[in-house]
Amino acid sequence: MGCIKCDMHYNASVSNEKDHLDMIDFRTEPSSYRHWKLSFSGPVATLAMDVDENAALNPGYDLKLNSYDLGVDIELNDAVQRLRFEHPEIKSVIITSAKERVFCAGANIRMLGQSSHPFKVNFCKFTNETRNAIEDATRNSGQFYLSAISGACAGGGYELALATDYIIMADDGSTSVSMPEVPLLAVLPGTGGLTRLVDKRHVRRDRADFFCTTEEGLKGKRAAEWNLVDEIVPRSQLMETAARRALELGSRSTRPAQHGISLAKIARTIGEQRISYRHVTVEIDRDNANASLIVNGPRSAPPAGFEDGLDSDFWPLAMARELEDAILHLRFNEETIRTWIFRSRGDTEMVKAYDAFLAANSDDWLVREINLYLKRTLKRLDVSSRSLFALIEPGSCFCGTILELALAADRSYMLRGSREGNESPPASISLTEMNFGPLTMCNGLTRLESRFLGQPGQVDDLRGRIGTAIDTTRAEQLGLVSFIPDEIDWDDEIRLAIEERAAFSSDALTGMEASLRFAGPETIESKIFSRLSAWQNWIFQRPNAVGEKGALKLYGTGARPEFDPRRV
Amino acid sequence: MGCIKCDMHYNASVSNEKDHLDMIDFRTEPSSYRHWKLSFSGPVATLAMDVDENAALNPGYDLKLNSYDLGVDIELNDAVQRLRFEHPEIKSVIITSAKERVFCAGANIRMLGQSSHPFKVNFCKFTNETRNAIEDATRNSGQFYLSAISGACAGGGYELALATDYIIMADDGSTSVSMPEVPLLAVLPGTGGLTRLVDKRHVRRDRADFFCTTEEGLKGKRAAEWNLVDEIVPRSQLMETAARRALELGSRSTRPAQHGISLAKIARTIGEQRISYRHVTVEIDRDNANASLIVNGPRSAPPAGFEDGLDSDFWPLAMARELEDAILHLRFNEETIRTWIFRSRGDTEMVKAYDAFLAANSDDWLVREINLYLKRTLKRLDVSSRSLFALIEPGSCFCGTILELALAADRSYMLRGSREGNESPPASISLTEMNFGPLTMCNGLTRLESRFLGQPGQVDDLRGRIGTAIDTTRAEQLGLVSFIPDEIDWDDEIRLAIEERAAFSSDALTGMEASLRFAGPETIESKIFSRLSAWQNWIFQRPNAVGEKGALKLYGTGARPEFDPRRV
């Protein structure tokens, strides 16, 4: 783990909260895993949780009973990604425990108790995204996740199982599923559990109510009858049954039995004001609390076909991985950088060619994975608690996939005309097939559909413009960009907008952006990020949970929490 | 205003918050209005806001510039109700201001600044419900609401306009619409504004972002172009245009030009442990932090027809009004009563007869209003931050409309067999047409549809059982009740469940219940109560808004707020 001193992270008023001064690195690989054992048997992989209790990410707590912290989940996220790309031959994945008497005790409570509010919220967001990625693999990658539970499966442990689409549980009297958060900790099962209970597994709400208020949870037949699990089997038959189900459930997968591509370690250089990747550069302006995320378009044309094979240097994949790493880094390690500004540089025609390649080969397993990776990465932006701006300038390449960054932004500025001293022609943007389907938001709509919710005809009209260069005036007329200052106004207008943003309350912006970004329908995923997470964030601020006498603070001390007797 | 001393409302740790020891009374009538002027002209009513700045509900603030507090909204709620029932001849309602230079400045900031967290949250909930009732009138009652804006229309003022389905604004240079909450107060426009901007009016998200961060708002042509308003007219033509539009928009209404029924003042007696209405009794058990809401079924059969006319004594209407009053009273005046227990007493056949009357006459304007009133009242339960239990005992009449109380409950207990010393036969429940359509939740589904989301066939099966008495064992088999203890276990099981509930953290229960109650789709209304309100509740706890140096606390003092620089 690298380490940077970020001495301006916290102001004095919050200095009693735990300072996370160690930089969190999201890059890992199986040979470095401390907490998971990954094994393979034909088309079935097994991902066994085996948390090293002495390898917590931060001091102050031990990871007992297969409880997890962010470090455990970083490995899980990595494993889920690699299984998709490096193992096309794997058609189903069994999540289980390598420990004898426990499946997983959920998120580590002491870790939560000592964490700052922003860290808790970001931790939950990341774990939610990982669980959504598991469901995405099952639904869209032909890689079916199931879980095999023996021993206690509590809280976040059961929520992990809920993210898989088939749950087998040992019927042995000591194995149970439970969500003890409300009775024990005065917080919610906040990693999608409540939503998945009623919306995914359709557990009847009164049963869900009973289950979520019953510390010891449910076991055996009743758990199956209430649809908390799909199948119960004698403990001795658990893994054998899981293997059989894995084969059955994976049998419809279209993944080819061939070699995957290996995901090379992402190279980056982190400085105080600049993070350099190969295709992405992050420039941090600490005085004005913002960072520019500059995406460089591809420098050469895509291959004509698959003959030479694609690897993780393939531009769309490499760019997505770097962008994702930058997003996660900024979320966790740069909490005071409150506005992210997307810029791009490069040749629009090259981006167009890559998008055409992705669209033409979308049936190929690897291209499908790349498209899904782009989708998940862009989704991370939508739920990032940062103001998102896009600046579209001469020399930029906001086309197709890269244009999604501007469409994900809370507002975009496109320069009208050319810039003095810049030889590039005036900026233009263009649409590709990638803007019309593969890159949906968590509400199930494309960014264009969500943007033009009241004018569905507009999206059809735009589809007719695929491939055409759209100049600034036209882009504004078509509603694709927010503002189009010319050179005379550009610098001032951008500067004022960024300064203004930096002056507002972060929290009000978070609530506002979360409300404006998701017009239209809701899905399980969007419900998790809005309804459930918003309530959890609230609870994570309430004295009943986090006050000196709150349940989360006192957990494990033997002292009883004291609650405000009022309902709100 | 009555007043009771409720000295156990707050514990010591929150005694520095404003104590709302005056009881809030939600009953009012036009002759008592201090803040609204209601006038009639043929089929058009005008509801003009004319807030008496010296008539605030609580000391400590003046209601300047047509800003509102709960007292202003109680009158608005009353007016909206009465217009429906007392004025069938009114086909459209113009909301406007009686003051010269201001439409409405929104919720009073000093009032918010000095209010306790529970009060703020409950205040927002009630104002949201009132705005939803305005939309319900437009959509379902044939009473079309529009607004005519002249002068400043800010924050909650514009949110009120957004609840109407047509907004006309004076184009006079001094009239504007704005949502200055984020830049000025570090909170959200939390009365549905953000959601209605993007989901109802389909304002493009980047424009909404700009609008919500621009303190002075927008006026004239740009406001119309961005669809923030529907029409701009010279100020001199504002009311004339509004009257013309009101006639046009109301012209398709099916409301009859006849006399309405007058809504008599709700009679009640409030004691320390009991609130008695005619059809509803509330028994408060302070030691165990719960209240039983006992609904008495009708004592006589419904009329054969409309010959004699119905009045506000008609059982379903009278019961709905009393239940609503009890809900609002308990929400605001009994914050520490954390579990509400529904019970009923009466003759199931009588309830059935009333439900049949409502179903048979659902095309009649008045019956339609009664059904909509029942729907809105039951919806208030769904979003009440209280644990809801139902106890179904011998002698009860949980049938049709009253059964909805049990279906709205987080869990229900039905006694198996008879009770010693009670001559009533064993309990049964029954379904009527009212369970299959008219009484939808805010997610657009009936409670049965939401309950059996994964088994739609189950709802069809239940429809076949309309009118049949369903005994305890069968009710449990059909999934209509949660638990069916017999007499031996009943008292203990209920007592333990209630005690357990009282021991949990109120906040965790609130978040859990809000997550489990609304399986299925989301609507604008449900998005307001989940996404938007949950974020606002969070923000209402954040130091950036409510800390000593928070924007809400410092507003009007001239001091600049200080913000935590972290995004969460």
Side-chain angles (χ1 to χ4, degrees):
Chain A
M1 290 268 295
C3 174
I4 51 167
K5 289 289 164 207
C6 37
D7 50 13
M8 51 176 303
H9 263 201
Y10 303 117
N11 64 14
S13 71
V14 292
S15 63
N16 58 334
E17 289 184 350
K18 177 166 173 44
D19 289 356
H20 294 273
L21 296 180
D22 289 324
M23 190 187 73
I24 297 163
D25 191 341
F26 290 83
R27 299 171 306 168
T28 185
E29 54 178 336
S31 66
S32 309
Y33 290 176
R34 301 287 299 266
H35 308 297
W36 294 90
K37 291 195 161 46
L38 185 52
S39 59
F40 303 92
S41 167
V44 179
T46 299
L47 194 46
M49 196 171 196
D50 192 13
V51 175
D52 178 349
E53 66 178 69
N54 301 313
L57 195 61
N58 281 300
Y61 56 91
D62 297 328
L63 295 174
K64 289 184 180 156
L65 296 169
N66 259 3
S67 64
Y68 60 83
D69 68 357
L70 181 62
V72 177
D73 231 64
I74 286 173
E75 292 182 7
L76 175 61
N77 177 57
D78 184 74
V80 173
Q81 296 281 33
R82 288 186 193 275
L83 280 165
R84 303 170 79 137
F85 282 95
E86 303 190 346
H87 296 280
E89 81 284 3
I90 293 300
K91 301 184 173 178
S92 42
V93 183
I94 301 168
I95 293 193
T96 192
S97 163
K99 295 211 193 298
E100 201 47 35
R101 309 175 73 87
V102 64
F103 175 80
C104 168
N108 188 278
I109 309 308
R110 295 207 169 211
M111 177 277 293
L112 284 177
Q114 74 180 37
S115 296
S116 72
H117 183 69
F119 181 82
K120 273 203 282 287
V121 170
N122 271 316
F123 167 72
C124 288
K125 190 172 286 172
F126 180 76
T127 53
N128 269 314
E129 289 172 321
T130 305
R131 278 130 199 84
N132 291 341
I134 288 175
E135 284 184 340
D136 184 54
T138 295
R139 310 255 160 90
N140 301 315
S141 289
Q143 204 164 61
F144 194 101
Y145 276 76
L146 59 161
S147 14
I149 298 171
S150 171
C153 173
Y158 180 48
E159 290 181 292
L160 175 58
L162 283 171
T164 70
D165 273 38
Y166 197 82
I167 306 175
I168 314 169
M169 182 168 79
D171 184 16
D172 65 355
S174 74
T175 295
S176 65
V177 291
S178 67
M179 283 186 175
E181 283 88 343
V182 171
L184 211 56
L185 307 168
V187 300
L188 300 185
T191 320
L194 295 177
T195 311
R196 288 202 176 87
L197 270 188
V198 293
D199 268 307
K200 179 181 181 182
R201 297 195 64 91
H202 299 133
V203 175
R204 233 173 56 206
R205 54 171 288 205
D206 51 346
R207 289 175 163 176
D209 177 275
F210 179 84
F211 174 63
C212 297
T213 52
T214 301
E215 204 176 306
E216 65 274 21
L218 262 63
K219 27 177 120 149
K221 270 186 193 157
R222 204 181 196 191
E225 206 178 286
W226 285 22
N227 204 34
L228 299 170
V229 303
D230 293 284
E231 184 174 1
I232 49 172
V233 294
R235 186 171 179 185
S236 59
Q237 294 166 29
L238 180 69
M239 293 316 294
E240 180 197 321
T241 308
R244 195 167 60 246
R245 295 284 176 254
L247 285 173
E248 289 164 14
L249 292 164
S251 65
R252 274 168 301 174
S253 172
T254 60
R255 291 173 74 86
Q258 67 183 56
H259 288 295
I261 62 164
S262 108
L263 298 177
K265 184 166 187 178
I266 296 170
R268 65 179 192 189
T269 320
I270 298 191
E272 179 63 12
Q273 272 144 63
R274 176 189 297 265
I275 308 167
S276 305
Y277 300 88
R278 206 166 143 211
H279 306 290
V280 176
T281 307
V282 181
E283 290 176 358
I284 298 177
D285 173 359
R286 297 194 184 277
D287 292 341
N288 294 301
N290 70 73
S292 286
L293 287 89
I294 306 160
V295 177
N296 295 301
R299 291 186 196 103
S300 55
F306 286 91
E307 289 69 30
D308 302 328
L310 304 178
D311 60 23
S312 64
D313 280 342
F314 184 58
W315 177 79
L317 176 56
M319 187 272 290
R321 293 182 72 214
E322 293 175 4
L323 185 61
E324 179 179 56
D325 189 70
I327 293 168
L328 295 174
H329 174 81
L330 291 171
R331 269 197 204 160
F332 279 88
N333 299 314
E334 296 286 359
E335 292 173 345
T336 60
I337 301 303
R338 305 194 288 283
T339 302
W340 294 348
I341 302 165
F342 303 120
R343 313 171 93 136
S344 69
R345 282 194 292 246
D347 180 350
T348 296
E349 293 307 314
M350 290 287 183
V351 181
K352 215 180 275 181
Y354 272 87
D355 273 13
F357 183 93
L358 294 178
N361 297 291
S362 62
D363 288 342
D364 175 75
W365 77 271
L366 178 56
V367 172
R368 180 174 68 190
E369 286 307 336
I370 293 169
N371 286 341
L372 291 169
Y373 199 148
L374 284 163
K375 179 182 78 171
R376 291 196 305 280
T377 302
L378 289 161
K379 277 190 195 183
R380 288 197 196 266
L381 285 180
D382 300 326
V383 299
S384 284
S385 164
R386 296 294 191 282
S387 292
L388 306 177
F389 283 13
L391 300 186
I392 305 172
E393 298 157 288
S396 64
C397 57
F398 282 99
C399 162
T401 298
I402 296 191
L403 181 63
E404 288 293 314
L405 296 173
L407 297 172
D410 298 306
R411 56 172 86 167
S412 55
Y413 293 84
M414 186 169 179
L415 193 127
R416 193 167 71 240
S418 46
R419 281 212 98 162
E420 215 180 284
N422 183 327
E423 289 177 13
S424 305
S428 70
I429 59 175
S430 40
L431 297 157
T432 72
E433 289 289 348
M434 293 300 280
N435 303 115
F436 295 88
L439 306 176
T440 47
M441 301 166 65
C442 73
N443 65 0
L445 303 184
T446 63
R447 286 178 188 77
L448 286 177
E449 284 166 345
S450 219
R451 188 176 186 86
F452 298 111
L453 200 63
Q455 313 155 255
Q458 177 77 350
V459 178
D460 292 336
D461 173 60
L462 291 170
R463 193 187 279 272
R465 294 171 192 270
I466 285 178
T468 320
I470 301 171
D471 68 21
T472 301
T473 314
R474 180 54 59 103
E476 199 266 347
Q477 282 165 0
L478 291 171
L480 291 168
V481 298
S482 318
F483 303 105
I484 53 168
D486 61 16
E487 165 156 69
I488 297 168
D489 296 326
W490 180 262
D491 288 342
D492 274 351
E493 193 165 335
I494 305 299
R495 184 180 52 76
L496 286 171
I498 290 171
E499 284 176 9
E500 181 189 76
R501 211 71 176 191
F504 293 152
S505 156
S506 293
D507 311 318
L509 287 175
T510 296
M512 182 191 84
E513 291 155 1
S515 298
L516 298 180
R517 287 177 186 171
F518 300 96
E522 301 266 351
T523 63
I524 289 180
E525 217 173 298
S526 74
K527 282 171 99 160
I528 289 171
F529 284 121
S530 59
R531 188 184 279 275
L532 184 65
S533 299
W535 281 115
Q536 181 79 310
N537 289 359
W538 175 69
I539 289 164
F540 276 159
Q541 282 282 272
R542 297 285 291 161
N544 285 349
V546 298
E548 285 312 308
K549 296 184 171 179
L552 202 56
K553 282 277 189 213
L554 292 183
Y555 180 75
T557 64
R560 282 176 67 89
E562 284 179 26
F563 295 141
D564 181 337
R566 294 175 292 172
R567 288 288 302 232
V568 168
Chain B
M1 291 269 294
C3 174
I4 50 166
K5 288 289 165 208
C6 36
D7 50 10
M8 50 177 303
H9 262 203
Y10 302 117
N11 65 14
S13 72
V14 292
S15 63
N16 59 334
E17 290 184 350
K18 178 168 172 48
D19 289 355
H20 294 274
L21 296 180
D22 290 325
M23 191 186 73
I24 296 163
D25 192 341
F26 290 84
R27 299 171 306 167
T28 185
E29 55 178 336
S31 66
S32 309
Y33 290 176
R34 300 286 298 268
H35 307 298
W36 294 90
K37 290 196 162 46
L38 185 52
S39 59
F40 302 92
S41 167
V44 179
T46 299
L47 194 47
M49 196 171 196
D50 192 14
V51 175
D52 178 349
E53 65 178 70
N54 301 313
L57 195 62
N58 281 300
Y61 57 91
D62 296 329
L63 295 173
K64 289 184 178 154
L65 296 170
N66 260 2
S67 64
Y68 60 83
D69 68 356
L70 180 62
V72 177
D73 230 65
I74 287 173
E75 292 181 6
L76 175 61
N77 177 58
D78 184 74
V80 173
Q81 296 282 33
R82 288 186 193 275
L83 279 164
R84 304 170 78 138
F85 282 96
E86 302 191 345
H87 297 280
E89 82 283 4
I90 294 300
K91 301 182 174 180
S92 43
V93 182
I94 301 169
I95 293 194
T96 192
S97 163
K99 297 213 193 295
E100 200 46 36
R101 309 177 73 87
V102 64
F103 176 80
C104 168
N108 188 277
I109 309 307
R110 296 207 169 214
M111 175 277 294
L112 284 176
Q114 73 180 36
S115 295
S116 71
H117 183 69
F119 181 82
K120 273 202 282 287
V121 170
N122 271 314
F123 167 72
C124 289
K125 189 171 287 171
F126 180 76
T127 54
N128 268 314
E129 289 172 322
T130 305
R131 278 131 200 85
N132 291 342
I134 287 174
E135 285 184 340
D136 184 56
T138 295
R139 311 257 159 90
N140 302 314
S141 288
Q143 204 164 60
F144 194 101
Y145 276 77
L146 59 160
S147 17
I149 298 172
S150 170
C153 173
Y158 179 50
E159 291 181 293
L160 175 59
L162 283 172
T164 70
D165 274 38
Y166 197 82
I167 306 176
I168 313 170
M169 182 168 82
D171 184 15
D172 64 358
S174 74
T175 295
S176 65
V177 291
S178 67
M179 283 188 175
E181 283 88 342
V182 171
L184 211 56
L185 306 167
V187 300
L188 300 184
T191 320
L194 296 177
T195 311
R196 287 200 175 87
L197 271 188
V198 292
D199 268 306
K200 180 181 181 180
R201 297 194 65 91
H202 299 135
V203 175
R204 232 174 55 206
R205 54 170 288 204
D206 52 345
R207 289 175 163 176
D209 178 274
F210 179 85
F211 175 63
C212 297
T213 52
T214 300
E215 204 176 306
E216 64 274 20
L218 262 64
K219 29 179 119 149
K221 269 185 196 161
R222 204 179 195 192
E225 205 177 286
W226 285 23
N227 205 34
L228 299 170
V229 304
D230 293 283
E231 185 174 1
I232 49 172
V233 294
R235 186 171 180 184
S236 59
Q237 294 166 29
L238 180 69
M239 293 317 293
E240 179 196 324
T241 309
R244 194 166 63 245
R245 295 284 177 254
L247 284 173
E248 290 163 14
L249 293 164
S251 65
R252 276 168 299 173
S253 171
T254 59
R255 293 172 72 87
Q258 68 184 55
H259 287 295
I261 63 164
S262 107
L263 297 176
K265 183 165 189 180
I266 296 170
R268 65 179 192 188
T269 320
I270 297 190
E272 179 62 12
Q273 273 144 62
R274 176 190 297 264
I275 307 165
S276 304
Y277 300 88
R278 204 166 144 210
H279 305 291
V280 176
T281 306
V282 181
E283 290 176 359
I284 298 176
D285 173 359
R286 298 194 182 276
D287 292 340
N288 294 300
N290 70 74
S292 285
L293 286 89
I294 305 160
V295 176
N296 295 302
R299 292 188 194 99
S300 55
F306 286 92
E307 289 69 28
D308 302 328
L310 304 179
D311 60 24
S312 64
D313 281 342
F314 183 58
W315 177 79
L317 177 57
M319 187 273 289
R321 295 181 70 214
E322 293 175 5
L323 185 61
E324 179 180 56
D325 189 71
I327 292 168
L328 295 174
H329 173 81
L330 290 171
R331 267 197 204 161
F332 279 88
N333 298 314
E334 296 286 359
E335 292 173 346
T336 60
I337 301 303
R338 305 194 288 282
T339 302
W340 295 348
I341 302 164
F342 303 119
R343 313 170 92 135
S344 70
R345 282 194 292 245
D347 180 348
T348 295
E349 293 307 315
M350 289 287 184
V351 181
K352 215 180 275 182
Y354 272 87
D355 273 12
F357 183 95
L358 294 178
N361 297 290
S362 61
D363 288 342
D364 176 76
W365 78 271
L366 178 57
V367 171
R368 180 174 68 190
E369 286 306 337
I370 293 170
N371 286 342
L372 291 169
Y373 198 148
L374 284 164
K375 179 182 78 170
R376 291 197 304 281
T377 301
L378 289 161
K379 277 191 198 183
R380 288 196 197 266
L381 285 179
D382 300 325
V383 298
S384 286
S385 165
R386 297 293 192 282
S387 292
L388 306 177
F389 282 14
L391 301 186
I392 306 173
E393 298 157 288
S396 66
C397 56
F398 282 98
C399 163
T401 298
I402 296 190
L403 181 63
E404 287 293 314
L405 296 173
L407 296 173
D410 298 304
R411 56 171 86 168
S412 56
Y413 292 84
M414 185 168 181
L415 194 125
R416 192 166 74 239
S418 46
R419 280 212 98 161
E420 215 181 284
N422 183 327
E423 290 177 12
S424 306
S428 71
I429 60 175
S430 38
L431 297 157
T432 72
E433 288 289 348
M434 294 298 280
N435 304 115
F436 294 88
L439 306 176
T440 47
M441 300 166 65
C442 73
N443 64 1
L445 303 184
T446 63
R447 285 177 189 76
L448 286 177
E449 284 165 345
S450 219
R451 188 178 187 85
F452 298 112
L453 199 62
Q455 313 155 256
Q458 177 77 349
V459 178
D460 293 336
D461 173 62
L462 290 171
R463 193 187 279 273
R465 294 171 193 270
I466 285 179
T468 320
I470 300 170
D471 67 22
T472 302
T473 314
R474 180 55 60 106
E476 199 265 348
Q477 282 165 358
L478 292 170
L480 291 168
V481 297
S482 318
F483 303 105
I484 53 168
D486 62 15
E487 166 156 70
I488 296 168
D489 297 326
W490 180 264
D491 288 341
D492 273 352
E493 193 166 335
I494 305 298
R495 183 178 53 75
L496 286 171
I498 291 171
E499 284 176 8
E500 181 189 76
R501 210 74 176 188
F504 293 151
S505 156
S506 293
D507 311 319
L509 286 175
T510 295
M512 181 191 83
E513 290 155 3
S515 298
L516 298 180
R517 287 177 185 170
F518 299 97
E522 301 266 350
T523 63
I524 290 181
E525 216 174 296
S526 74
K527 282 171 100 161
I528 289 171
F529 284 121
S530 60
R531 189 183 279 275
L532 183 65
S533 299
W535 281 115
Q536 181 79 311
N537 289 358
W538 175 69
I539 289 163
F540 276 160
Q541 282 281 273
R542 297 284 291 160
N544 285 349
V546 298
E548 284 313 309
K549 297 185 169 175
L552 202 57
K553 281 277 188 211
L554 291 183
Y555 181 75
T557 63
R560 281 177 68 89
E562 284 180 26
F563 294 141
D564 181 338
R566 295 174 293 171
R567 289 285 303 232
V568 168

